[in-house]
Amino acid sequence: MKKTLLILLTISWWVPLMAQPTINLKYYLPQNIQYDTKIPTPKSVLGYEVGEWHVSHDQLVYYMRAIAQASDRVVLEEYARSHENRPLLILKITSPANHQNLEQIRQKHLELCDPAKAGGVNTDDMPVVVWSGHSIHGNEPSGSNAAILEAYYWAAAQGDAVNKVLDNTIILLDPCFNPDGLHRFATWANMHKSKNLVTDPASREFNEVFPKGRTNHYWFDLNRDWLPVQHPESQGRIKKFQQWRPNILTDHHEMGTNASYFFQPGIPARTNPLTPQMNQDLTAEIARFHGKALDKIGSLYFTKEGFDDYYYGKGSTYPDVQGSIGILFEQASSRGHAQQSIHGVLRFPFTIRNQFTTAMSTVEAANVLRKKLLDYQKNFHKNAPKGKTYVFGSNDKGRTYQLVKMMQQHKITIHQAASDVTIQGQKIKKENAYVVPAGQAQSRLISGMFQVQTEYKDSLFYDVSAWTMPYAFGVPFQEGGSKGAKLEEIKFPAGKMKWAIGGQHNEVAYVFRWNNYYAPRALYRLQKKGIKTKVVTENFTFNVEGNSESFSYGAILVPVGIQKMSKNALFKEMEAITQQDGVDVYVLHKGLADKGRDLGSSSIRALHQPKVMVLAGQGVTSYDVGEVWHLLDTRYDMPVTIVDKYRFSRVNLGKYNVIVMVNGRYNDINDDTQKIKNWVRKGGTLITIKGANRWAKNVGLASFKYVKKQPAKPVVHPYVTRRNRRGAQRIGGAIFEANIDITHPIGYGYERDKIPVFRNHELFVNKSISPYATPVYYTQSPLLSGYISKPNLKYLQNTASVIVSKRGRGVVVSMLDNPNFRAFWYGTNKLFANAMFFGHIIGW
């Protein structure tokens, strides 16, 4: 009997995989109901059955528009545009009667998220709101292809049961979180499809070229951007989420081909402590609906392992801190149309059917648990902890602006500070300081952004263990603070032209400080216009508008007399950077400083316009290349040439004065080592980040020594613990304090001698034997927030974060940590900018 049962279970699993099913709507959809013939089927619009080809994004949009046009149950809304100008869509699906009253339903639903109103809301007859989201990773396409089936089903399915669901539910169908990545991957998979399907995993169809289709246009993982919201896709999605605050949000992904199917709850011990237990209990209740639905079609699955609910910047966890239930689905990926796996041939239609099945079981669960979900959301906010009041601010108006802007996108209430404040020893004027008061609706989310945590129940993390936002933005903060007026939507802080006494109509030079985040953009804007610029390496002081103004390390001087353009034209250019880049420009009327170095001093060094190349290609971390590309292109308005390694030997390096090598392997360019060495000696700046430093050291370009680790003592542990013990020694992502020399060109623009640094690797390097070559190094007690094992913390103490190696007239800047992590580490971007703009002036 047991043997027979085993055979039956095995057959139910293998048949969908190995057998080639007849691909049509019957394969996917429930067949015990009628479908409205006036609703266009996918094949009638696309020209093929779902699963025969990978849907491109334009085809996906075309079908969704056709569905919305044909059905009175569906209203389509475009909520954003991607970097490549592709539309992101929401299909609002519900009964025609609900559509007539949809805005009132939405407003009433939002009262559940208002602590002042939630207690008085009667949830007995309220619709539940479900957001069905798909394919935030472009090369995980089964979700977006399943979304086609979802749209068709809800538009076409007939019967009382369907009508009842639509009466009680608002379905927000988001068919593709990442249009650019999905389109890139669909092109790859379709262009390599054979008439006779090839299932060999070695086939080109299953092995994309760099940078692959997972990411968006700038090669970012959008599933890590729900909290930082640095990309237009995320910004539009978060705005829409806050407009609706769904009870459930699903996030359909894919994983390795040899896996099965995962749905949450994840590993219990790795749930963020800010998430209430009731959230996990409801997730488990919903899971039973998924299990039952997958059992019916014979698909294997697992829960409570492999994935966690910790980092609030992911789609499946962002809702958890706001009274919603986030659910992650992970389907074993065919990566193409049909691929051999340990379970047999895994076919694309099978992966789509699993995703469609759980999308449907989610709506079923939402209906059965409707009141429980609504009451949970109500009580989540009604009984929300008051939380803490925080004050933050910086003299760098650019970084502070970006932090406030990010928080406001999450509907966090912010006030101007009531008076000037001192934060962590730094005096901040009230116009540059902000207060986040306690007792507001987003109190838990605020705690998630500001929390500093170094103790954990579990030492393994699927993603980063810390993301304290003020640290990331490099903005000092502390508890407390007196609030002034409530801040409405923040505007980009424009700078001003300020005149030294006697400076009107007698301009000798202009100067602006380097402490503003957008100062590099201002400098490059001037250099691009052919304006000659210099950098201050020692202080000088002028009387400006009655105040004694000191211009320190990194201030940019623009002498008037040496320029080719007229005085009037130059003035207009300087005035433009105050408005466009937010810098204050000071107009000086003489070359003789009131104090310090005069304007003709040799300590004020001439600058070169950076001409930047970034190496990319197989073996290089595409995320890190994308971060450099995004920073230079979208924030500094600088062009950057991205060169694949296989072409490097044919490139004329004379066109560039900065080369960037991000984390990755570079042994395949060893034959070009001498070419690079000669280029550096002639004055080039080579910037190496994370793993690229190993290569730079091995070929003799970078000078540093690794920390010697103590040999491990022989010990025996249970075999089953091996993964956890190994994982506990990883620094998955934590925040540390480093010393920074603000007199060093790498430290220009920073005002404090301490800086938060993000680290997610275990490469430990000693400080240089040269006393001037380690401008950034970790403190004796470096841990600020996040997890690190005790042995690794000991290895990290007083080690280098940045080391500079002088080579002839050039320099190698070894950045052991990534200063551009995920685009929201504004606080360390300037380290990278300094290496680009000032590397050539570094001397011993």
Side-chain angles (χ1 to χ4, degrees), residues 494-516:
K496 298 178 181 178
M497 298 289 288
K498 299 186 177 184
W499 299 79
I501 300 300
Q504 287 84 347
H505 309 298
N506 187 33
E507 303 93 345
V508 170
Y510 301 94
V511 63
F512 60 91
R513 296 188 175 94
W514 193 246
N515 64 344
N516 188 291

Side-chain angles (χ1 to χ4, degrees), residues 184-224:
R184 185 162 68 245
F185 177 73
T187 301
W188 176 269
N190 289 335
M191 70 186 281
H192 291 99
K193 179 185 178 183
S194 300
K195 177 182 176 182
N196 299 292
L197 295 183
V198 177
T199 63
D200 182 355
S203 174
R204 183 173 170 85
E205 180 179 355
F206 312 117
N207 297 278
E208 300 168 81
V209 295
F210 181 95
K212 303 184 179 181
R214 177 183 177 90
T215 51
N216 76 342
H217 173 78
Y218 284 104
W219 307 346
F220 278 76
D221 183 341
L222 289 176
N223 195 40
R224 273 63 180 170

Side-chain angles (χ1 to χ4, degrees), residues 604-649:
I604 303 177
R605 304 285 302 278
L607 293 175
H608 303 156
Q609 179 183 352
K611 298 173 182 178
V612 184
M613 174 209 291
V614 181
L615 278 179
Q618 198 68 31
V620 175
T621 304
S622 60
Y623 296 155
D624 296 18
V625 176
E627 287 158 1
V628 173
W629 180 20
H630 178 265
L631 175 70
L632 270 58
D633 194 31
T634 70
R635 295 188 183 163
Y636 294 166
D637 286 342
M638 292 174 58
V640 53
T641 301
I642 302 174
V643 175
D644 278 308
K645 289 185 294 177
Y646 76 87
R647 296 194 66 255
F648 183 72
S649 61

